[in-house]
Amino acid sequence: TTSDPEEGGLANLAGRLTWGATDDTSRRQKQEDILQDALECAVHPLHRAQAQLAWANWLLADATAGPATRWLLGFENNDDPETLISHGREARERLSQAREAIKSIRTTELSDDEKKLRNRLLAAADTLEPFTELFAALADRDDVTKYRAACADAAVNLSAAREAEQASVAACARLWQSFGWAMADRQDRALLSLAPSLQKPEQYPYDYFSRLLRCRIVMDQGQY
């Protein structure tokens, strides 16, 4: 998702939010260097916005893949929450910078194709925002009331992404929205959007993880 920040980096906005290679510091550093180079080379505000969005996507989809998967399945280690918090906050900042770059352009100065790109970039930022909110919610994990409220807010804000035209994005949003409701102690609401555990998954890996999440919630409720 990062080899071409102006194309591939945005092609699958929520792609691999729970599925990535093993933690590889050198690989991640190389990818971050590519993103940095793309941002430094971007001259037009729309291109800078693309680079910032690609970076935000990478932070959410690749750099946090291991910690996010462990959190989702209930196997997080001591370092995972801080990793998710910091990456979520940085991703949110990059979304903010992308929006600022877009707003700096007068729409009257854009061609029709550039206007379409501008709209796509704004939609991309809106799609990624709730994921940053869910990761950042971990900052309040020691205050149960605030944590549950933050997770519930993120779950509500993921509703739009659930209706995305791209099937993988919609499946990813359904998974994380359900998880957000579960973390908000709204398990019954989480189960409403989770398919039966034995139903064949269609959108991998999200549908598969959705089945595991359903099993986890049902188990926590003391059911078979």
Side-chain angles (χ1 to χ4, degrees), residues 57-104:
N57 179 66
W58 177 77
L59 286 164
L60 297 169
D62 193 296
T64 57
T69 301
R70 289 190 290 270
W71 183 35
L72 183 71
L73 298 181
F75 301 127
E76 65 269 21
N77 60 39
N78 293 334
D79 297 331
D80 287 343
E82 289 304 322
T83 299
L84 292 169
I85 292 167
S86 63
H87 284 52
R89 287 173 173 171
E90 183 180 350
R92 181 181 291 181
E93 177 59 28
R94 296 202 174 277
L95 294 184
S96 176
Q97 293 177 20
R99 290 189 175 105
E100 288 178 5
I102 294 171
K103 291 178 181 178
S104 70

Side-chain angles (χ1 to χ4, degrees), residues 10-17 127 131 158-176 193 201-208 210-211:
L10 298 177
N12 186 10
L13 288 171
R16 295 184 6 194
L17 269 167
T127 297
F131 293 103
L158 279 164
S159 297
R162 282 187 53 177
E163 306 303 322
E165 292 183 5
Q166 191 171 340
S168 61
V169 174
C172 181
R174 286 195 298 271
L175 167 63
W176 284 99
S193 56
E202 295 180 0
Q203 290 296 323
Y204 281 93
Y206 314 112
D207 286 355
Y208 175 69
S210 292
R211 307 302 186 266

Side-chain angles (χ1 to χ4, degrees), residues 97-112:
Q97 293 177 20
R99 290 189 175 105
E100 288 178 5
I102 294 171
K103 291 178 181 178
S104 70
I105 312 169
R106 292 183 179 180
T107 54
T108 55
E109 298 175 352
L110 298 176
S111 66
D112 288 342

Side-chain angles (χ1 to χ4, degrees), residues 136-152 183-184:
L138 278 165
D140 297 318
R141 64 191 182 282
D142 293 331
D143 185 324
V144 175
T145 301
K146 289 181 64 177
Y147 177 58
R148 289 177 177 173
C151 289
M183 294 300 97

